[in-house]
Amino acid sequence: MVENDRWGIFFAHLVLILGVALVVFPVYIAVIASTHPSGTFVRGVMPLLPGPNALENYRTVIFEGRSRAGTPPIGGMLWNSFVMAMAITVGKLSISILSAFAIVYFRFPFRMFFFWVIFLTLMLPVEVRIVPTFQVVADLGMLNSFAGLSIPLIASATATFLFRQFFMTVPEELMEAARVDGAGPLKFFKDILLPLSITNIAALFVIMFIYGWNQYLWPLLITTDPEYYTIVMGIQRMVTGGDSEPLWHLVMATVVLAALPPILVILFMQRLFVKGLTETEK
Amino acid sequence: MATIVMDDLHKVYAGGVKAVTGISLDIADGEMIVLVGPSGCGKSTLLRMVAGLETISDGTLKIGDRVVNNLEPAERDIAMVFQNYALYPHMTVFNNLAYGLRNRKFPKAEIDRRVREAAEMLEIAQFLDRKPRNLSGGQRQRVAMGRALVREPAAFLFDEPLSNLDAKLRVQMRVEIRQLQKRLKTTSLYVTHDQLEALTMADRLVVLNGGKIEQVGTPMDVFSKPASVFVAGFIGSPAMNMIDAAYLHDKGEGNALPALPQGADLIGVRPDDLLLTAPQGPHLRLSGTVALLEPAGAESHIYVMLEGNSQPITIRVQGLPTVLEGAQVDFYAALDALHPFVRETGLRVA
Ligand SMILES: Nc1ncnc2c1ncn2[C@@H]1O[C@H](COP(=O)(O)OP(=O)(O)O)[C@@H](O)[C@H]1O
Ligand SMILES: [Mg+2]
C-alpha cells in the first residue's frame, strides 16, 4: 500500500512537472529571445541562455518602434489593447449584472422570453456574426474608434447566466428585509447585491479582461488607422508586415510585454478574489 | 404604537392556492397577538400581507387609522423579524441596525443614539463591529431584533423568529422578547407553529387552520375552552384525548353521561384531567390496560388501551407512575373536565 502510494505520488508529480514544463518552456524561450541582439537568430538556432541586449530591445520596442518593419512604438498599442479590454470587461460586467438583476428580481411581461433570447446569443459569438456586425459598425461610422472596437463584443450571455445563478442563491428574505428597511430596488442592488457579488465580479473580470485583451480578428477587421492598432494585431504585423525578415528579438520582446497586463490583472484580482471569498459568505 | 384592523382579508396566490380565506381581526394598541397553527395554514402569508410583502387579494387592512393595502412595506411603519434573520452578511452589526434609519434620512447622531440604545438593551453592544457570520445563532437573533427595535415602528411582525435556535435558547429568548414587548408596549404580531410559545407569549392567540381562524382568545380561554376539535388537538401537549360518546355510554362506569349537552358525540379530556384516584364530586370511571409508560422527568405519560377502542388514551401524572406496563388500571375524570364536541362539524357544544 505504502509503496503503491509512493509510486502514485511520484507518477502524479512527474506528469504535473512535464505539464508545467510544456507550458513554461515556450514562455521561457520568448523571454530569453527578447534579450538577444538581432544577429543571434540568423543562424537559425534558438539560444537557451539570456543575452546582453534586454534593456535595449525593450527600449526600442516601447519608444521607437520599427517603422520599416511595419510597427509603430508599441506603447500606443498596449494602451489601445488596455482601453479595449477594459471597455469590454466593464461593459460586459455592468450589462450582464443589470440584466441578471432584472431577470431575477422583477416580474415583467415576456421575462422568460428575454431570458431565452439572451441564452440564444450564446450561439452567436463575434466570429459567427462578423460580417453583419462589421456592416453595422461601418454604417454607424465606428470604424477606427474605441467604440467600434469594444461595443460589439460587450453583450455577454455567459456573465448574465453566472450572475443569475448567483442571485438565485441569495435568500429572498434579504431583499424583503431591505424593502422593509426602506430600500428601493436600485438601493438594494447597490447596497446589498453588488457587495455580495464582489467575488463573482472579480472572477468574471479576470476572464473577460483576458477575452478582451486577446481579441484578434475583430480589431484586425475594423482598424486601418495605426492609431487604433492593438498589441495582438501588432505582433502579427511585426511578423508578416515588413519587407525584411522578422526581427525576432523585437517580436519576442513585444510578446512578453503583451503577456504582462493579463498577468497583472490576475495577480491584482486574485487578492480581491480571495478577500471576497473569505468575507462574503452567508 | 397603533392598532391593526384586518377586515375580511383574502389571499389567492398566482397558482390559485387560497392561502388566506376571510380573516377579520382587531388588534389593540400594544397588544401581543400570536398566530399559531400547523405548517401551511397561512400564518406567514397573513403576516406578510400585513408587512406588505404579499399583495392583499381582497379585504382591507388598517394600521393606525390608515388603510395600507397599497402601501410599500417601508411606508407601513412596521418592522419585521425573519425566521432566518436575513441579516445583511457584508455589513457590520452596527450597519445592519443603522441601514433602515439611514434610508429614512435620520440624522447621524440620532442613528448613533438609537443603535447604541438598542444594542445596550439586547446586550449586543460589544458586537457592533462584527459581521453576522462571526456571531452565534442567538446573537444573530438579537441583531435581527435590534434591527426592528431601532426603527421604533408602529408594529413588530415576527415570523417564527425562534425556530432556528436550540431548545434552551428558545425559552430564554421567548422570555426576553415578551419582556421587551411589554416594556415597549409595541403592537406585535407573532407567528409560530409551537403551541407552547403561543400560550406563553400571547395576550391573545389566534389559532389558524386552512387559511381560516379557528379561535381567538386569551391563552387561558383557548386552552380551557377550545372552540373546536382542531384547537383541542393543537393547543396543549400531550394532545387532548378524544373518546366517542357512544363508547362512554357503553363503558363509562360512572354513568353520569346523561349530563352531556345536546348533540355532543365526541368527548375530549386532557391528559392532566385523567386521574388515577377518584375525585370528589361527579365523575366518570374508565378502565384499560397500560400499554406504555413514558417517564419525562418531573412528569410521566401513561398510555392506556381501552377495551374496544383503537386509540390509546394518554394520562399525565406527576413524578413516576405507580402502575406497571401490562397492568389493568382504573382512572377517573371529573365531569366538568370533559369537553363536548360534535364530530361532524368539529365544533364545541356549550
Ligand atoms: N409564493 C407562493 N405561491 C403559491 N403558494 C404559496 C406561496 N407561498 C405559500 N403558498 C402556499 O400557501 C399556503 C400557506 O403558506 P404559508 O403562509 O407559508 O404557511 P405557514 O407559514 O402557516 O406554514 C401553503 O399551502 C403554501 O403552499
Ligand atoms: Mg411560515
Side-chain angles (χ1 to χ4, degrees):
Chain A
M1 275 306 282
V2 177
E3 253 178 7
N4 264 351
D5 263 355
R6 212 171 266 168
W7 277 108
I9 290 172
F10 173 77
F11 193 68
H13 278 78
L14 190 72
V15 170
L16 288 175
I17 288 167
L18 279 177
V20 169
L22 220 61
V23 173
V24 168
F25 187 66
V27 178
Y28 175 78
I29 288 289
V31 173
I32 294 299
S34 71
T35 62
H36 282 269
S38 58
T40 317
F41 304 93
V42 181
R43 279 176 291 145
V45 181
M46 274 290 167
L48 286 179
L49 292 173
N53 273 33
L55 276 181
E56 194 188 320
N57 287 351
Y58 281 97
R59 214 199 51 223
T60 314
V61 160
I62 295 174
F63 298 108
E64 294 165 19
R66 271 288 185 269
S67 38
R68 251 185 322 114
T71 49
I74 69 163
M77 293 195 290
L78 280 173
W79 174 249
N80 290 346
S81 277
F82 181 76
V83 171
M84 176 180 75
M86 280 307 261
I88 291 175
T89 308
V90 173
K92 266 181 188 290
L93 285 175
S94 355
I95 289 190
S96 56
I97 201 169
L98 284 173
S99 340
F101 179 55
I103 284 172
V104 175
Y105 287 95
F106 292 85
R107 304 277 162 274
F108 50 90
F110 305 114
R111 192 170 63 101
M112 283 325 274
F113 170 76
F114 284 113
F115 178 69
W116 287 110
V117 167
I118 293 175
F119 185 77
L120 280 178
T121 63
L122 269 180
M123 297 175 209
L124 301 170
V126 205
E127 289 76 9
V128 175
R129 57 187 160 90
I130 202 154
V131 174
T133 309
F134 179 86
Q135 188 61 50
V136 170
V137 168
D139 287 351
L140 290 175
M142 294 199 300
L143 298 179
N144 288 318
S145 72
F146 283 125
L149 276 172
S150 50
I151 290 175
L153 302 178
I154 275 178
S156 173
T158 325
T160 309
F161 266 100
L162 288 173
F163 281 125
R164 170 177 177 267
Q165 247 23 54
F166 170 68
F167 289 167
M168 294 201 318
T169 68
V170 173
E172 206 170 335
E173 285 87 352
L174 228 48
M175 188 257 286
E176 295 175 343
R179 270 179 83 188
V180 174
D181 264 346
L186 281 180
K187 216 166 168 42
F188 166 69
F189 178 73
K190 177 171 86 58
D191 292 345
I192 289 155
L193 219 45
L194 212 51
L196 288 180
S197 312
I198 281 294
T199 323
N200 295 271
I201 293 176
L204 283 169
F205 189 97
V206 171
I207 297 169
M208 301 299 178
F209 185 86
I210 293 173
Y211 167 85
W213 185 267
N214 287 342
Q215 279 306 313
Y216 171 63
L217 192 56
W218 182 248
L220 196 63
L221 207 64
I222 74 152
T223 57
T224 46
D225 179 352
E227 261 321 79
Y228 291 99
Y229 284 177
T230 64
I231 189 75
V232 178
M233 354 164 6
I235 295 169
Q236 183 265 349
R237 296 181 72 88
M238 284 173 96
V239 176
T240 61
D243 329 320
S244 56
E245 274 291 295
L247 304 165
W248 285 115
H249 59 304
L250 297 187
V251 173
M252 288 306 171
T254 310
V255 165
V256 170
L257 285 174
L260 271 184
I263 291 174
L264 289 179
V265 164
I266 290 174
L267 289 182
F268 174 71
M269 278 296 160
Q270 195 187 4
R271 280 180 39 217
L272 239 182
F273 191 70
V274 173
K275 195 167 153 230
L277 274 186
T278 53
E279 281 201 355
T280 60
E281 95 205 37
K282 268 160 267 150
Chain B
M1 307 282 127
T3 57
I4 299 177
V5 179
M6 307 177 191
D7 185 15
D8 199 26
L9 291 183
H10 286 259
K11 175 69 191 184
V12 185
Y13 278 113
V17 181
K18 293 186 172 131
V20 167
T21 50
I23 286 191
S24 300
L25 184 68
D26 284 15
I27 303 176
D29 184 16
E31 200 176 16
M32 175 85 156
I33 293 282
V34 176
L35 297 174
V36 65
S39 166
C41 70
K43 310 178 293 287
S44 297
T45 303
L46 185 60
L47 190 80
R48 292 162 54 81
M49 285 160 77
V50 176
L53 297 171
E54 296 289 354
T55 54
I56 295 171
S57 307
D58 199 11
T60 46
L61 173 68
K62 279 166 95 175
I63 298 179
D65 28 71
R66 290 187 304 167
V67 173
V68 297
N69 281 41
N70 297 317
L71 293 187
E72 272 291 299
E75 299 165 329
R76 295 189 182 194
D77 198 16
I78 46 95
M80 183 149 169
V81 179
F82 294 84
Q83 178 171 359
N84 63 7
Y85 317 139
L87 302 178
Y88 311 124
H90 58 296
M91 293 187 195
T92 60
V93 169
F94 185 99
N95 288 336
N96 263 284
L97 299 199
Y99 188 63
L101 298 176
R102 288 199 184 121
N103 288 341
R104 288 177 172 76
K105 305 276 185 298
F106 275 69
K108 207 169 164 306
E110 172 72 3
I111 295 178
D112 214 59
R113 188 187 66 75
R114 285 201 191 186
V115 169
R116 291 192 193 282
E117 203 176 286
E120 214 59 56
M121 217 184 293
L122 292 162
E123 295 166 15
I124 48 172
Q126 69 268 43
F127 307 128
L128 282 177
D129 293 329
R130 290 209 199 159
K131 299 257 175 78
R133 83 192 131 92
N134 296 326
L135 299 176
S136 70
Q139 289 160 351
R140 286 180 206 187
Q141 220 288 318
R142 285 162 189 271
V143 177
M145 291 279 302
R147 193 166 59 180
L149 228 59
V150 291
R151 295 259 322 280
E152 299 177 7
F156 289 135
L157 307 177
F158 300 89
D159 193 353
E160 311 213 11
L162 305 183
S163 57
N164 285 349
L165 300 179
D166 60 54
K168 191 165 160 230
L169 210 51
R170 203 178 306 162
V171 174
Q172 186 191 337
M173 284 310 293
R174 185 174 87 197
V175 174
E176 285 192 30
I177 291 180
R178 183 57 170 142
Q179 281 178 332
L180 210 60
Q181 194 273 338
K182 279 190 170 166
R183 178 139 53 100
L184 299 172
K185 299 192 179 58
T186 306
T187 314
S188 300
L189 201 52
Y190 186 106
V191 162
T192 179
H193 64 265
D194 180 345
Q195 54 92 26
L196 188 59
E197 235 169 79
L199 285 172
T200 50
M201 297 182 79
D203 284 326
R204 283 190 300 155
L205 58 86
V206 176
V207 185
L208 290 182
N209 182 26
K212 282 199 168 62
I213 293 183
E214 287 271 336
Q215 188 172 7
V216 183
T218 64
M220 257 357 266
D221 277 352
V222 174
F223 185 80
S224 58
K225 266 191 156 235
S228 65
V229 174
F230 176 84
V231 176
F234 194 79
I235 302 291
S237 170
M240 186 185 280
N241 298 299
M242 289 293 166
I243 310 171
D244 207 301
Y247 181 87
L248 291 180
H249 276 297
D250 252 14
K251 298 274 170 36
E253 288 145 53
N255 284 330
L257 279 173
L260 281 181
Q262 193 70 31
D265 54 0
L266 193 62
I267 306 300
V269 50
R270 294 215 179 267
D272 300 81
D273 294 333
L274 290 172
L275 311 164
L276 293 177
T277 52
Q280 303 283 319
H283 62 266
L284 190 70
R285 192 183 82 197
L286 289 161
S287 60
T289 318
V290 178
L292 183 71
L293 295 178
E294 205 179 55
E299 59 183 52
S300 305
H301 307 149
I302 307 172
Y303 295 95
V304 179
M305 296 305 297
L306 298 182
E307 196 188 327
N309 196 20
S310 58
Q311 283 288 324
I313 299 291
T314 317
I315 306 173
R316 175 150 75 178
V317 295
Q318 293 303 308
L320 280 176
T322 50
V323 296
L324 294 173
E325 276 177 18
Q328 194 74 20
V329 285
D330 284 351
F331 53 98
Y332 310 86
L335 286 193
D336 55 13
L338 302 184
H339 302 264
F341 297 101
V342 179
R343 185 187 288 278
E344 195 175 319
T345 57
L347 295 179
R348 183 188 189 93
V349 256

